[in-house]
Amino acid sequence: MNYHIVGSDGNEYGPYSAEQLKGYVAEGRISLTTQARPAEGGDWKPLSSYPEFGGAPAAAPSAPAPPRPFLRLPIPPPPPPTARRPMPLRPLAGSRGSCARHSASCRP
């Protein structure tokens, strides 16, 4: 048997076969409360009131996935310090190797 249905926008659509409508229910595109009538004419009733859809399960809304636990990763230890050579001291640019605060030993 073929049926016409009322869409969510209030317009009439169809005709659709019972198999097509069962597929739409399984996909969640329509529900068993969708208003329908036989293509030959008749009153508008929910799909669930027609024998072809009495045993058809409604598309159950899928439950949201449970939250994933927070994943605690171990923090790796910092790398060991590397041995560094002391940086050689150089006279400042423009200096002559002496200063007024020190003795003559500051001169090169």
Side-chain angles (χ1 to χ4, degrees), residues 17-75:
S17 69
E19 289 75 30
Q20 285 176 301
L21 293 176
K22 286 179 184 179
Y24 295 157
V25 169
E27 294 170 6
R29 294 173 63 184
I30 62 173
S31 70
L32 292 176
T33 60
T34 299
Q35 294 292 306
R37 68 172 177 83
E40 298 81 27
D43 294 333
W44 291 99
K45 299 187 283 187
L47 276 175
S48 61
S49 65
Y50 293 99
E52 292 94 331
F53 303 98
S62 60
R68 295 175 61 183
F70 183 73
L71 183 60
R72 292 185 182 260
L73 297 175
I75 299 174

